[in-house]
Amino acid sequence: MKYVILIGDGMADYPLPERGNRTALQIASTPNLDFIATGGRCGLVRTIPEGMHAGSDIATLSILGYDPAKYHTGRGPLEAMAMRMPLNEGDIAFRCNLITENEGIIEDFSGGHITTAEAKALIAALNEEFSDKFVEQGWELTFYAGVSYRNILVIKSRSNDLKFREGKEIGGAPPHDIVGEPIEEYLPKEDILRDVMLASKEVLDAHEVNRKRQARNEKKANMVWLWSGGRKPVMPSFSELYGVQGSVISGVDLIKGIGRCVGLDAIDVPGATGYFDTNYKGKADYALRSLAGNDFVLVHVEAPDEAGHLRDIDLKVKAIEDFDALVVGTVLKGLEAEFADAEEGYRILVMPDHYTPVSVGTHTKEPVPFAIYNSRARSEQKRVGGFDEQFARKSTVGVLDARAQELMRLFFIYQ
Ligand SMILES: [Zn+2]
Protein backbone atom coordinates (compact mmCIF):
# COMPACT_ATOMS: atom_id res chain seq x y z
CA MET A 1 0.00 0.00 0.00
CA LYS A 2 1.24 3.49 -0.84
CA TYR A 3 0.44 6.23 1.68
CA VAL A 4 0.43 9.93 0.76
CA ILE A 5 -0.26 12.95 3.00
CA LEU A 6 -0.81 16.35 1.31
CA ILE A 7 -0.86 19.39 3.62
CA GLY A 8 -1.98 22.84 2.43
CA ASP A 9 -0.64 25.00 5.23
CA GLY A 10 -3.20 27.28 6.83
CA MET A 11 -5.94 26.52 4.21
CA ALA A 12 -8.79 26.48 6.73
CA ASP A 13 -10.67 29.75 7.16
CA TYR A 14 -13.84 31.46 8.46
CA PRO A 15 -16.91 32.28 6.32
CA LEU A 16 -16.48 35.77 4.82
CA PRO A 17 -19.63 37.94 4.82
CA GLU A 18 -18.27 39.89 1.85
CA ARG A 19 -17.98 36.61 -0.08
CA GLY A 20 -21.43 35.25 0.58
CA ASN A 21 -20.37 33.74 3.90
CA ARG A 22 -18.13 31.26 2.14
CA THR A 23 -14.67 30.18 3.28
CA ALA A 24 -11.54 30.21 1.10
CA LEU A 25 -11.94 26.44 0.51
CA GLN A 26 -15.56 26.96 -0.53
CA ILE A 27 -14.69 29.86 -2.87
CA ALA A 28 -11.78 28.03 -4.49
CA SER A 29 -12.38 25.57 -7.35
CA THR A 30 -10.92 22.29 -6.00
CA PRO A 31 -12.11 19.30 -8.06
CA ASN A 32 -9.37 16.99 -6.78
CA LEU A 33 -9.84 17.75 -3.08
CA ASP A 34 -13.61 17.37 -3.62
CA PHE A 35 -13.10 13.98 -5.33
CA ILE A 36 -11.20 12.74 -2.27
CA ALA A 37 -13.73 14.12 0.21
CA THR A 38 -16.85 12.85 -1.57
CA GLY A 39 -15.35 9.45 -2.45
CA GLY A 40 -13.56 8.88 0.86
CA ARG A 41 -13.97 9.59 4.56
CA CYS A 42 -13.69 13.00 6.10
CA GLY A 43 -14.04 14.67 9.45
CA LEU A 44 -12.45 17.18 11.81
CA VAL A 45 -9.21 16.73 13.71
CA ARG A 46 -7.65 18.69 16.57
CA THR A 47 -4.02 19.42 15.63
CA ILE A 48 -3.25 22.08 18.29
CA PRO A 49 -3.45 20.70 21.83
CA GLU A 50 -4.98 22.85 24.59
CA GLY A 51 -2.47 25.35 25.96
CA MET A 52 -0.01 25.10 23.08
CA HIS A 53 0.64 27.78 20.47
CA ALA A 54 -0.85 27.24 17.01
CA GLY A 55 2.46 26.75 15.19
CA SER A 56 3.01 24.62 12.07
CA ASP A 57 5.58 22.61 14.04
CA ILE A 58 3.07 21.80 16.80
CA ALA A 59 0.36 20.96 14.25
CA THR A 60 2.58 18.77 12.06
CA LEU A 61 3.96 16.79 15.01
CA SER A 62 0.38 16.16 16.17
CA ILE A 63 -0.78 15.14 12.68
CA LEU A 64 1.97 12.50 12.55
CA GLY A 65 0.92 11.26 15.99
CA TYR A 66 3.82 12.74 18.00
CA ASP A 67 2.51 14.47 21.12
CA PRO A 68 4.12 17.95 20.96
CA ALA A 69 3.81 18.32 24.73
CA LYS A 70 6.23 15.39 24.95
CA TYR A 71 8.46 15.81 21.93
CA HIS A 72 8.54 19.48 20.86
CA THR A 73 11.68 21.22 22.13
CA GLY A 74 11.50 24.38 20.01
CA ARG A 75 11.62 25.66 16.46
CA GLY A 76 15.41 26.17 16.52
CA PRO A 77 16.40 22.49 16.85
CA LEU A 78 13.91 21.42 14.16
CA GLU A 79 15.27 23.94 11.67
CA ALA A 80 18.81 22.97 12.66
CA MET A 81 17.97 19.34 11.81
CA ALA A 82 16.58 20.44 8.43
CA MET A 83 19.88 22.19 7.73
CA ARG A 84 21.74 18.97 8.67
CA MET A 85 23.56 20.63 11.57
CA PRO A 86 25.49 18.41 13.98
CA LEU A 87 23.62 18.90 17.28
CA ASN A 88 25.26 17.16 20.21
CA GLU A 89 23.63 16.48 23.50
CA GLY A 90 23.49 19.65 25.57
CA ASP A 91 23.78 21.92 22.52
CA ILE A 92 20.99 24.47 22.22
CA ALA A 93 19.81 25.59 18.77
CA PHE A 94 17.95 28.92 18.50
CA ARG A 95 15.96 30.44 15.68
CA CYS A 96 17.96 33.61 14.97
CA ASN A 97 15.95 36.28 13.21
CA LEU A 98 17.73 39.27 11.70
CA ILE A 99 15.41 42.07 12.81
CA THR A 100 15.17 45.84 12.41
CA GLU A 101 15.68 47.63 15.74
CA ASN A 102 14.99 51.34 15.95
CA GLU A 103 15.46 53.37 19.14
CA GLY A 104 14.81 50.39 21.38
CA ILE A 105 11.72 49.23 19.46
CA ILE A 106 11.30 46.15 17.19
CA GLU A 107 10.43 47.79 13.88
CA ASP A 108 10.42 44.68 11.64
CA PHE A 109 10.76 40.96 12.52
CA SER A 110 12.28 40.17 9.10
CA GLY A 111 14.92 42.90 8.76
CA GLY A 112 12.90 44.29 5.87
CA HIS A 113 12.83 40.80 4.25
CA ILE A 114 16.60 40.96 3.82
CA THR A 115 17.91 38.84 0.95
CA THR A 116 19.60 35.51 1.63
CA ALA A 117 22.90 36.79 0.17
CA GLU A 118 22.92 39.90 2.40
CA ALA A 119 21.99 37.81 5.44
CA LYS A 120 24.88 35.45 4.70
CA ALA A 121 27.36 38.36 4.86
CA LEU A 122 25.91 39.54 8.19
CA ILE A 123 26.02 36.01 9.62
CA ALA A 124 29.71 35.77 8.64
CA ALA A 125 30.40 39.05 10.48
CA LEU A 126 28.63 37.70 13.59
CA ASN A 127 30.73 34.53 13.55
CA GLU A 128 33.89 36.57 13.21
CA GLU A 129 32.87 38.65 16.21
CA PHE A 130 31.30 36.07 18.48
CA SER A 131 32.87 32.67 17.85
CA ASP A 132 35.52 33.30 20.53
CA LYS A 133 33.97 36.20 22.44
CA PHE A 134 32.33 34.09 25.17
CA VAL A 135 34.79 31.19 25.31
CA GLU A 136 36.26 32.46 28.56
CA GLN A 137 32.78 32.29 30.03
CA GLY A 138 32.54 28.70 28.75
CA TRP A 139 30.24 29.22 25.77
CA GLU A 140 30.96 28.36 22.14
CA LEU A 141 28.74 30.14 19.60
CA THR A 142 28.20 29.31 15.93
CA PHE A 143 25.77 31.14 13.65
CA TYR A 144 24.40 29.32 10.58
CA ALA A 145 22.91 31.18 7.61
CA GLY A 146 19.46 29.98 6.46
CA VAL A 147 16.93 31.61 4.14
CA SER A 148 16.55 35.42 4.29
CA TYR A 149 15.98 36.54 7.93
CA ARG A 150 15.59 32.96 9.22
CA ASN A 151 18.94 31.80 10.62
CA ILE A 152 20.19 29.57 13.42
CA LEU A 153 22.53 30.05 16.41
CA VAL A 154 23.93 26.97 18.15
CA ILE A 155 25.35 27.47 21.64
CA LYS A 156 27.60 24.76 23.10
CA SER A 157 28.57 24.81 26.75
CA ARG A 158 32.25 24.05 27.34
CA SER A 159 31.89 23.27 30.99
CA ASN A 160 29.47 20.96 32.71
CA ASP A 161 28.27 23.48 35.26
CA LEU A 162 27.25 25.90 32.56
CA LYS A 163 23.82 24.77 31.47
CA PHE A 164 20.66 26.29 30.13
CA ARG A 165 17.57 25.63 32.19
CA GLU A 166 15.79 22.42 31.30
CA GLY A 167 12.72 22.67 29.16
CA LYS A 168 12.12 24.22 25.80
CA GLU A 169 11.34 27.33 23.81
CA ILE A 170 14.31 29.06 25.46
CA GLY A 171 14.87 32.68 24.38
CA GLY A 172 12.84 35.80 23.62
CA ALA A 173 9.21 36.04 22.53
CA PRO A 174 8.42 35.24 18.85
CA PRO A 175 9.42 38.53 17.16
CA HIS A 176 6.48 38.56 14.71
CA ASP A 177 4.19 38.79 17.77
CA ILE A 178 5.92 41.85 19.31
CA VAL A 179 6.47 44.26 16.41
CA GLY A 180 6.30 47.84 17.69
CA GLU A 181 7.11 46.76 21.26
CA PRO A 182 10.12 47.90 23.40
CA ILE A 183 12.97 45.40 23.18
CA GLU A 184 13.85 45.69 26.86
CA GLU A 185 10.54 44.14 27.89
CA TYR A 186 10.94 41.00 25.79
CA LEU A 187 14.61 40.16 26.08
CA PRO A 188 15.21 36.62 27.43
CA LYS A 189 16.34 36.05 31.05
CA GLU A 190 19.57 34.24 30.24
CA ASP A 191 22.57 36.61 30.41
CA ILE A 192 24.44 35.00 27.53
CA LEU A 193 21.44 35.50 25.23
CA ARG A 194 20.91 39.12 26.30
CA ASP A 195 24.63 39.86 25.84
CA VAL A 196 24.69 38.36 22.33
CA MET A 197 21.48 40.10 21.25
CA LEU A 198 22.50 43.54 22.54
CA ALA A 199 26.10 43.20 21.30
CA SER A 200 24.92 42.14 17.84
CA LYS A 201 23.74 45.70 17.19
CA GLU A 202 27.32 46.98 17.38
CA VAL A 203 28.38 44.42 14.75
CA LEU A 204 25.47 44.85 12.38
CA ASP A 205 24.22 48.43 12.51
CA ALA A 206 27.21 49.99 10.73
CA HIS A 207 27.92 46.95 8.53
CA GLU A 208 28.41 47.69 4.83
CA VAL A 209 25.31 45.64 3.93
CA ASN A 210 23.17 47.91 6.11
CA ARG A 211 24.83 51.09 4.91
CA LYS A 212 23.88 50.08 1.37
CA ARG A 213 20.34 49.10 2.44
CA GLN A 214 19.92 52.47 4.14
CA ALA A 215 21.15 54.23 1.01
CA ARG A 216 18.42 52.37 -0.91
CA ASN A 217 15.85 53.35 1.74
CA GLU A 218 15.47 49.73 2.84
CA LYS A 219 15.19 48.69 6.46
CA LYS A 220 18.41 47.69 8.22
CA ALA A 221 18.84 44.16 9.57
CA ASN A 222 20.76 45.47 12.55
CA MET A 223 20.12 43.08 15.42
CA VAL A 224 19.65 39.36 16.07
CA TRP A 225 16.58 38.06 17.90
CA LEU A 226 17.04 34.64 19.53
CA TRP A 227 13.88 32.61 20.26
CA SER A 228 12.32 29.14 20.43
CA GLY A 229 15.63 27.49 21.38
CA GLY A 230 15.96 23.91 22.53
CA ARG A 231 17.88 20.66 22.49
CA LYS A 232 17.80 18.07 19.71
CA PRO A 233 14.40 16.36 19.96
CA VAL A 234 14.48 12.61 20.59
CA MET A 235 11.51 10.80 18.99
CA PRO A 236 10.65 7.22 17.99
CA SER A 237 11.05 6.77 14.24
CA PHE A 238 8.06 6.92 11.90
CA SER A 239 8.76 3.39 10.70
CA GLU A 240 8.79 2.14 14.30
CA LEU A 241 5.34 3.68 14.83
CA TYR A 242 3.68 2.84 11.51
CA GLY A 243 5.87 0.25 9.79
CA VAL A 244 6.54 2.32 6.65
CA GLN A 245 9.66 4.01 5.23
CA GLY A 246 9.31 7.31 3.47
CA SER A 247 10.06 10.98 2.94
CA VAL A 248 8.88 14.56 3.36
CA ILE A 249 8.80 17.34 0.76
CA SER A 250 8.50 20.98 1.86
CA GLY A 251 10.05 24.36 1.17
CA VAL A 252 9.96 25.07 4.91
CA ASP A 253 12.85 23.99 7.15
CA LEU A 254 10.50 23.37 10.08
CA ILE A 255 8.71 20.54 8.26
CA LYS A 256 11.91 19.11 6.76
CA GLY A 257 13.40 19.10 10.26
CA ILE A 258 10.47 17.18 11.71
CA GLY A 259 10.84 14.65 8.90
CA ARG A 260 14.54 14.17 9.64
CA CYS A 261 13.91 13.87 13.39
CA VAL A 262 11.55 10.91 12.81
CA GLY A 263 13.80 9.17 10.30
CA LEU A 264 12.10 10.26 7.05
CA ASP A 265 14.16 11.51 4.09
CA ALA A 266 13.77 15.22 3.44
CA ILE A 267 13.83 15.53 -0.35
CA ASP A 268 15.08 18.84 -1.77
CA VAL A 269 12.95 19.92 -4.74
CA PRO A 270 14.48 22.61 -6.97
CA GLY A 271 12.39 25.79 -6.81
CA ALA A 272 10.59 24.86 -3.58
CA THR A 273 10.48 28.29 -1.93
CA GLY A 274 7.85 28.09 0.79
CA TYR A 275 6.14 31.03 -0.93
CA PHE A 276 3.65 31.75 -3.75
CA ASP A 277 6.26 31.16 -6.45
CA THR A 278 7.05 27.64 -5.24
CA ASN A 279 7.47 24.69 -7.63
CA TYR A 280 4.07 23.03 -6.99
CA LYS A 281 4.27 20.53 -9.87
CA GLY A 282 7.89 19.66 -9.06
CA LYS A 283 6.89 18.73 -5.53
CA ALA A 284 4.20 16.37 -6.83
CA ASP A 285 6.53 14.77 -9.37
CA TYR A 286 9.28 14.19 -6.78
CA ALA A 287 6.68 12.71 -4.42
CA LEU A 288 5.49 10.20 -7.00
CA ARG A 289 9.07 9.31 -7.89
CA SER A 290 9.88 8.70 -4.20
CA LEU A 291 7.14 6.06 -4.04
CA ALA A 292 9.08 3.82 -6.39
CA GLY A 293 11.31 2.90 -3.44
CA ASN A 294 9.19 3.85 -0.44
CA ASP A 295 5.63 3.43 0.81
CA PHE A 296 5.07 6.86 2.37
CA VAL A 297 5.46 10.51 1.41
CA LEU A 298 4.27 13.78 3.00
CA VAL A 299 4.09 16.90 0.82
CA HIS A 300 3.69 20.28 2.56
CA VAL A 301 2.78 23.51 0.72
CA GLU A 302 3.20 26.81 2.60
CA ALA A 303 1.57 29.33 0.23
CA PRO A 304 -2.05 29.39 1.56
CA ASP A 305 -0.69 30.26 5.02
CA GLU A 306 1.40 33.14 3.67
CA ALA A 307 -1.77 34.50 2.01
CA GLY A 308 -3.63 34.21 5.32
CA HIS A 309 -0.89 36.19 7.08
CA LEU A 310 -1.18 38.84 4.33
CA ARG A 311 -4.99 38.84 4.90
CA ASP A 312 -5.49 38.48 1.14
CA ILE A 313 -8.44 36.22 0.23
CA ASP A 314 -7.77 36.31 -3.53
CA LEU A 315 -4.14 35.25 -3.03
CA LYS A 316 -5.33 32.50 -0.68
CA VAL A 317 -7.94 31.18 -3.13
CA LYS A 318 -5.29 31.16 -5.89
CA ALA A 319 -2.80 29.30 -3.66
CA ILE A 320 -5.46 26.70 -2.77
CA GLU A 321 -6.41 26.26 -6.44
CA ASP A 322 -2.73 25.81 -7.39
CA PHE A 323 -2.32 23.28 -4.58
CA ASP A 324 -5.41 21.40 -5.79
CA ALA A 325 -4.54 21.36 -9.49
CA LEU A 326 -0.74 21.04 -9.45
CA VAL A 327 -0.13 19.00 -6.30
CA VAL A 328 -3.30 17.03 -5.43
CA GLY A 329 -4.31 16.58 -9.08
CA THR A 330 -0.86 15.47 -10.24
CA VAL A 331 -0.44 13.06 -7.32
CA LEU A 332 -3.92 11.55 -7.72
CA LYS A 333 -3.37 10.98 -11.45
CA GLY A 334 0.06 9.45 -10.82
CA LEU A 335 -1.22 7.14 -8.07
CA GLU A 336 -4.13 6.01 -10.23
CA ALA A 337 -1.78 5.27 -13.12
CA GLU A 338 0.87 3.49 -11.04
CA PHE A 339 -0.83 1.86 -8.08
CA ALA A 340 -4.61 1.66 -8.55
CA ASP A 341 -4.46 -1.81 -10.06
CA ALA A 342 -1.57 -2.94 -7.94
CA GLU A 343 -2.29 -5.59 -5.31
CA GLU A 344 -2.38 -3.09 -2.49
CA GLY A 345 -3.55 0.22 -4.00
CA TYR A 346 -3.01 3.56 -2.31
CA ARG A 347 -4.37 5.90 0.35
CA ILE A 348 -4.25 9.68 0.31
CA LEU A 349 -4.90 12.10 3.22
CA VAL A 350 -5.48 15.79 2.46
CA MET A 351 -5.77 18.55 5.08
CA PRO A 352 -4.60 21.94 6.37
CA ASP A 353 -2.40 21.87 9.48
CA HIS A 354 -4.29 24.74 11.18
CA TYR A 355 -6.52 27.73 10.40
CA THR A 356 -4.94 30.97 9.13
CA PRO A 357 -8.06 33.09 8.69
CA VAL A 358 -7.61 36.11 6.42
CA SER A 359 -9.83 38.09 8.81
CA VAL A 360 -7.34 37.39 11.66
CA GLY A 361 -3.97 37.30 9.82
CA THR A 362 -2.45 34.64 12.08
CA HIS A 363 -3.01 31.02 13.16
CA THR A 364 -6.02 29.89 15.23
CA LYS A 365 -6.70 26.59 17.03
CA GLU A 366 -10.03 25.18 15.79
CA PRO A 367 -10.10 21.51 14.65
CA VAL A 368 -9.38 21.33 10.91
CA PRO A 369 -11.08 19.36 8.12
CA PHE A 370 -9.40 16.26 6.67
CA ALA A 371 -10.32 13.67 4.03
CA ILE A 372 -8.90 10.19 3.37
CA TYR A 373 -9.35 8.33 0.09
CA ASN A 374 -8.62 4.59 -0.15
CA SER A 375 -8.37 3.21 -3.68
CA ARG A 376 -9.27 -0.24 -2.31
CA ALA A 377 -12.50 1.02 -0.76
CA ARG A 378 -14.02 3.08 -3.54
CA SER A 379 -17.64 3.83 -2.83
CA GLU A 380 -19.84 4.11 -5.88
CA GLN A 381 -22.09 6.38 -3.80
CA LYS A 382 -20.41 9.78 -4.10
CA ARG A 383 -21.67 12.11 -1.36
CA VAL A 384 -22.77 15.55 -2.44
CA GLY A 385 -20.43 18.30 -1.33
CA GLY A 386 -16.75 19.03 -1.39
CA PHE A 387 -13.65 19.45 0.72
CA ASP A 388 -14.38 22.26 3.21
CA GLU A 389 -14.92 23.01 6.87
CA GLN A 390 -18.73 22.69 6.71
CA PHE A 391 -18.77 19.35 4.83
CA ALA A 392 -16.25 17.91 7.28
CA ARG A 393 -18.27 19.13 10.25
CA LYS A 394 -21.28 17.17 8.97
CA SER A 395 -19.35 13.92 8.65
CA THR A 396 -19.83 10.91 10.89
CA VAL A 397 -16.23 10.63 11.97
CA GLY A 398 -16.58 13.49 14.52
CA VAL A 399 -13.55 15.34 15.97
CA LEU A 400 -10.38 13.25 16.23
CA ASP A 401 -7.39 14.00 18.48
CA ALA A 402 -4.30 13.96 16.27
CA ARG A 403 -1.68 13.81 18.99
CA ALA A 404 -3.32 10.64 20.33
CA GLN A 405 -2.67 9.10 16.88
CA GLU A 406 -6.39 8.91 16.13
CA LEU A 407 -5.85 10.37 12.66
CA MET A 408 -2.83 8.17 11.81
CA ARG A 409 -4.71 5.09 13.00
CA LEU A 410 -7.64 5.97 10.74
CA PHE A 411 -5.20 6.59 7.87
CA PHE A 412 -3.07 3.48 8.21
CA ILE A 413 -5.57 0.99 9.50
CA TYR A 414 -9.21 1.67 8.49
CA GLN A 415 -10.73 -0.54 5.77
ZN1 LIG B 1 1.20 26.13 9.29
Side-chain angles (χ1 to χ4, degrees):
M1 173 71 78
K2 299 295 178 182
Y3 298 93
V4 177
I5 300 179
L6 304 177
I7 296 178
D9 200 304
M11 282 194 301
D13 213 310
Y14 300 151
L16 293 169
E18 70 274 21
R19 297 294 174 105
N21 279 321
R22 290 175 301 156
T23 68
L25 278 167
Q26 289 171 326
I27 298 166
S29 158
T30 58
N32 299 293
L33 289 169
D34 299 344
F35 169 84
I36 292 170
T38 55
R41 300 183 73 172
C42 52
L44 294 174
V45 58
R46 180 174 296 289
T47 58
I48 310 292
E50 257 347 291
M52 298 195 87
H53 72 270
S56 299
D57 43 355
I58 302 292
T60 307
L61 283 170
S62 296
I63 289 168
L64 297 178
Y66 292 83
D67 182 353
K70 191 171 166 193
Y71 295 113
H72 183 259
T73 60
R75 176 183 281 259
L78 289 174
E79 292 177 342
M81 294 296 288
M83 293 154 79
R84 292 193 172 87
M85 260 173 240
L87 277 187
N88 304 318
E89 211 198 319
D91 294 354
I92 306 276
F94 294 87
R95 160 62 88 83
C96 170
N97 278 43
L98 288 168
I99 67 165
T100 308
E101 181 273 352
N102 192 1
E103 291 170 3
I105 301 287
I106 293 188
E107 189 180 298
D108 185 317
F109 69 85
S110 74
H113 277 286
I114 187 166
T115 68
T116 300
E118 290 172 310
K120 221 178 182 134
L122 295 178
I123 292 292
L126 290 167
N127 274 326
E128 208 171 303
E129 176 67 21
F130 288 118
S131 54
D132 300 333
K133 192 172 176 106
F134 298 97
V135 168
E136 263 155 50
Q137 294 172 40
W139 301 108
E140 201 181 302
L141 276 62
T142 313
F143 290 86
Y144 293 87
V147 177
S148 173
Y149 62 89
R150 306 177 188 91
N151 307 281
I152 297 283
L153 168 65
V154 174
I155 299 186
K156 290 176 192 296
S157 144
R158 284 196 154 195
S159 67
N160 293 333
D161 54 13
L162 256 186
K163 281 204 171 42
F164 277 95
R165 61 181 163 78
E166 282 305 322
K168 49 194 162 180
E169 305 270 17
I170 304 166
H176 46 266
D177 290 346
I178 52 172
V179 173
E181 300 292 334
I183 285 197
E184 257 320 308
E185 267 175 54
Y186 294 93
L187 283 172
K189 292 184 279 305
E190 289 81 3
D191 290 344
I192 177 76
L193 300 181
R194 298 170 70 89
D195 295 350
V196 172
M197 290 163 79
L198 295 172
S200 71
K201 239 206 116 197
E202 290 142 39
V203 180
L204 299 179
D205 197 58
H207 190 281
E208 192 201 354
V209 164
N210 282 318
R211 278 207 306 275
K212 285 186 178 155
R213 288 181 64 80
Q214 198 169 29
R216 294 193 303 265
N217 257 336
E218 290 171 350
K219 287 184 181 152
K220 287 183 175 180
N222 59 358
M223 188 177 171
V224 301
W225 192 265
L226 305 173
W227 58 291
S228 197
R231 293 171 174 77
K232 182 179 174 180
V234 180
M235 300 188 240
S237 74
F238 198 74
S239 61
E240 261 172 75
L241 292 185
Y242 307 112
V244 291
Q245 302 284 344
S247 41
V248 296
I249 291 176
S250 173
V252 173
D253 279 346
L254 210 49
I255 310 301
K256 287 168 133 175
I258 288 173
R260 291 226 161 91
C261 285
V262 300
L264 297 169
D265 302 334
I267 298 173
D268 294 321
V269 175
T273 59
Y275 213 52
F276 303 109
D277 58 352
T278 195
N279 182 1
Y280 290 94
K281 178 88 173 28
K283 286 182 171 184
D285 292 338
Y286 273 75
L288 289 167
R289 223 172 290 155
S290 78
L291 291 174
N294 280 329
D295 295 328
F296 173 81
V297 64
L298 181 152
V299 180
H300 168 272
V301 169
E302 175 71 5
D305 178 62
E306 296 293 331
H309 286 293
L310 293 170
R311 299 177 177 230
D312 188 325
I313 182 63
D314 296 316
L315 261 181
K316 188 166 183 177
V317 167
K318 172 84 172 55
I320 291 173
E321 290 179 344
D322 287 344
F323 172 68
D324 180 83
L326 301 168
V327 177
V328 185
T330 306
V331 168
L332 255 181
K333 222 163 98 220
L335 288 171
E336 270 299 307
E338 285 287 316
F339 306 109
D341 302 331
E343 178 56 36
E344 303 151 68
Y346 67 85
R347 288 185 194 186
I348 188 167
L349 162 61
V350 292
M351 61 186 300
D353 56 345
H354 51 70
Y355 275 68
T356 310
V358 291
S359 55
V360 181
T362 190
H363 305 175
T364 59
K365 300 184 176 187
E366 297 86 350
V368 296
F370 72 87
I372 298 174
Y373 181 82
N374 176 354
S375 68
R376 313 284 332 135
R378 297 176 204 269
S379 59
E380 297 319 311
Q381 289 312 99
K382 286 246 174 270
R383 277 162 301 125
V384 180
F387 183 75
D388 61 54
E389 301 82 355
Q390 205 179 12
F391 188 71
R393 208 168 291 123
K394 279 188 278 177
S395 87
T396 51
V397 172
V399 180
L400 303 183
D401 181 4
R403 68 163 166 176
Q405 294 178 351
E406 291 179 355
L407 179 65
M408 285 299 103
R409 268 203 294 276
L410 186 64
F411 181 49
F412 280 110
I413 298 168
Y414 103 79
Q415 292 312 316

